Amino acid sequence: MSKEYTQEDLIELIAKALVDTGVEGPYDAVTCTTSGGDYPSLGMSQWEGERSDLLLSYIEGGETFAGRAYSDLRNSGDIPALKELLDSAQGHAAQDLRLREDIRDMYLPFLLEAGLTNAACIVYAGVWCPTSHVVVRNFIRRRAERGYDVNDLGVLNGLFFEQYADAAYEGEYQAGTQNRANATMAWVMENLA
């Protein structure tokens, strides 16, 4: 890779990869958290809790849905209206803005702390950060400490494909993490390699 990427380039690439691959979901996603609670995960980055309420504060009418349990949204029949709000032009703009803020303020610094220097690897790992940027950083850092070359895209992809479900979810969601690894690798290979 001969091109030099700025931090702004990397932010844009990670955001584009997340939107293009849809690994977190579409703009209008409204699901119940997989963390065992009764709260919604919203949008194409599956924002939850205070982060979903912040997202909703960026959208006119979003306060109607803030701070509510998933079961309340479901039982009241408000999920279709929330989905429509998230899929509106203002909903898309708010999510695009929040995603870039998340990448700039949380994901990219943590990926650099983990020792990533290869742009393709940074973008690849950035797509995993919505699962938990702290877990992603620690996962990469621990593999580097064990001697894996985390700046080799093939190695990094193999690590996420084979080991991330065990490290992050105690073995649950293996098929999902493998699908995410495949989709992310395909996107990075097409757009950066």
Side-chain angles (χ1 to χ4, degrees), residues 36-103:
D38 181 23
Y39 49 92
S41 293
L42 303 181
M44 54 85 154
S45 193
Q46 293 293 285
W47 288 277
E48 296 180 345
E50 291 178 6
R51 296 177 71 222
S52 66
D53 288 348
L54 180 59
L55 169 68
L56 290 169
S57 76
Y58 287 25
I59 308 168
E60 188 176 337
E63 68 279 351
T64 303
F65 306 101
R68 293 175 61 187
Y70 179 81
S71 60
D72 175 46
L73 292 167
R74 184 190 64 232
N75 295 339
S76 67
D78 285 340
I79 288 179
L82 176 54
K83 289 172 78 67
E84 186 176 323
L85 184 76
L86 292 169
D87 205 25
S88 68
Q90 195 177 66
H92 282 227
Q95 290 180 64
D96 290 341
L97 176 64
R98 284 294 305 133
L99 180 60
R100 282 162 179 78
E101 290 173 349
D102 287 349
I103 295 166

Side-chain angles (χ1 to χ4, degrees), residues 110-117 121 135-152 155-156 159-160 163:
F110 274 58
L111 296 172
L112 297 175
E113 282 177 23
L116 294 181
T117 58
C121 293
V135 171
V136 169
R137 179 200 57 197
N138 295 343
F139 177 80
I140 294 167
R141 188 182 280 166
R142 288 183 184 122
R143 272 59 194 175
E145 289 168 356
R146 294 177 190 163
Y148 290 101
D149 182 359
V150 295
N151 282 293
D152 178 303
V155 170
L156 190 63
L159 291 169
F160 275 92
Q163 299 179 18

